[in-house]
Amino acid sequence: MSDLTLPMVRRRPLDPPDELGELRRQAPVHRLTFADGHLGWLVTGYAAARAVLADPRFSNRPERMHPPIPGRMELARREGFRLPPGMFLRTDPPEHTRYRRLLTGQFTVRRMKALEPRIAEITEEHLDAMEAAGPPADLVEAFALPIPSLVICELLGVPYEDRARFQEDARILFNLETKAEDALAAVGSTMAYLSDLIGRKRDKPDDDLLSGLVEGGELTDEELTGVGFLLLLAGHETTANMLGLGTYALLTNPAQLAALRDDPSIAETAVEELLRYLTIIHLGPVRSAVEDVEIEGVLIRAGETVALSLPAANRDPERFPGGDTLDVTRPATGHLTFGHGIHQCLGQQLARAEMRIAYPALLRRLPGLRLAVTPEEVPMRSDMSIYGVHRLPVTW
Ligand code: HEM
């Protein structure tokens, strides 16, 4: 038996819990006791995490899994619970393959490149507004959250004026303390909103992504609602937190900030390194073995749940030497921040484009940007499944 529960407490805001690094030094795969008493596994090594994510003998269906921390996924294991169709992150092939095939064509590098002028325009508009209002500002509210929200709304064809509703539901869903009933209510509220929207698109299609899927005719309205839900929530919270936390990381590492501000041509490399170093999906992914699998010499039995620590994997010195240091000139490609294998993030090219445009623009337009409080006063999102800053008070 093991009495190890998932280490959650960060000693320093930008570093994963020290215990994770300690575990990785001992072995890449460890016994872990899950919140319901299930004895499963915790993966902290890079090669082992990648191997699990690439292996078709692991399932991503929620009803097969045990919750790594109290509260999480409790709902999914209840009798009679059914995930709304279309939330394909939580499906396995061949169901997953069908959705993924329909969507891959919508998220190509080419299509995301074509969006860049609009992303740049949205970014400049928000910087204009910040300048006009003058310092200080909360960078999350003024910049990090609205830019990806507006971009995903325009791409999907979701009216931006309605954002208060789904942003509040996202806050409830991503909060680690949320009770199952409240999570269910938040899912229900955004699903009802999207179901109504899909109905309107069926009557009067536009040239947005959801209208395209409606017109494609391969998905039912119920499935489209689930797809819309996944894209809307995954599409703004994640990048928003990268922009907020990434700016905090740069402001508290002035030499790194100066390197990017003085040479914006390194933006692509800097974005990969920020993605690796910050690894904002700090809990999970979680998988369950559908048959016995050996990973790095450890036998994982059919039915056992495996929690992966992407932050620990992305700091593995065997893959990223000196990885506990932020170095915006490091070639950090190959990190696992967007996952790996068949579920690897569908929106990664969009997220990259947003960051490649937003960070350099912010540093160019507000060269005197600095924290308006001490680093310790910035409230960190330790209570959320997507890590970041709740607020980022800045001045310039
Ligand atoms: C920095 C920003 C982002 C990060 C760190 C991120 C991270 C991830 C990760 C780790 C996964 C895999 C989860 C797993 O294997 O269990 C994933 C999947 C996914 N992401 Fe992202 N994501 C980001 C941005 C986006 C954006 C902008 C969109 C939408 C436009 C998006 C849509 C999705 C979808 C639909 C999936 C499910 C893919 C599948 O199951 O085939 N993500 N993301």
Side-chain angles (χ1 to χ4, degrees), residues 60 88-89 96 100 107 152 230-231 234-235 238-239 242 275 280-281 285 287 337-339 342-343 345-347 350-351:
N60 205 11
F88 59 94
L89 170 61
H96 174 263
R100 185 82 192 201
F107 282 90
I152 194 73
L230 178 59
L231 293 177
T238 42
T239 315
M242 264 310 295
L275 282 162
I280 55 167
I281 311 284
R287 298 287 193 265
T337 303
F338 290 120
I342 60 165
H343 291 284
C345 182
L346 183 73
L350 176 60

Side-chain angles (χ1 to χ4, degrees), residues 270-385:
V271 162
E272 290 313 307
E273 170 67 350
L274 285 166
L275 282 162
R276 179 200 70 81
Y277 182 70
L278 301 171
T279 318
I280 55 167
I281 311 284
H282 63 153
L283 295 170
V286 182
R287 298 287 193 265
S288 71
V290 288
E291 50 185 273
D292 291 358
V293 189
E294 198 180 301
I295 298 286
E296 304 254 324
V298 173
L299 180 65
I300 297 173
R301 295 268 182 208
E304 287 185 327
T305 299
V306 182
L308 308 180
S309 171
L310 297 184
N314 276 339
R315 300 279 182 109
D316 188 336
E318 295 213 353
R319 179 63 182 78
F320 299 107
D324 282 329
T325 307
L326 175 68
D327 173 2
V328 292
T329 61
R330 176 203 305 272
T333 47
H335 61 71
L336 298 177
T337 303
F338 290 120
H340 178 66
I342 60 165
H343 291 284
Q344 195 182 44
C345 182
L346 183 73
Q348 58 184 292
Q349 302 307 348
L350 176 60
R352 285 191 170 105
E354 291 176 326
M355 287 183 277
R356 240 181 8 240
I357 291 168
Y359 289 129
L362 176 69
L363 302 182
R364 172 173 45 79
R365 291 280 302 270
L366 306 176
L369 191 73
R370 59 193 184 279
L371 289 179
V373 295
T374 64
E376 296 73 33
E377 285 171 313
V378 175
M380 309 308 295
R381 288 172 49 112
S382 307
D383 54 342
M384 308 296 270
S385 57

Side-chain angles (χ1 to χ4, degrees), residues 190-246:
T190 292
M191 289 292 277
Y193 167 75
L194 284 168
S195 165
D196 181 63
L197 184 72
I198 300 286
R200 280 186 275 142
K201 292 202 183 290
R202 197 165 284 288
D203 293 341
K204 197 169 164 292
D206 214 331
D207 61 359
D208 54 70
L209 194 149
L210 287 180
S211 295
L213 289 174
V214 167
E215 293 197 289
E218 290 197 54
L219 298 175
T220 64
D221 282 11
E222 205 191 5
E223 288 175 317
L224 279 165
T225 305
V227 168
F229 178 91
L230 178 59
L231 293 177
L232 186 59
L233 262 67
H236 79 277
E237 271 283 330
T238 42
T239 315
N241 282 296
M242 264 310 295
L243 289 177
L245 189 65

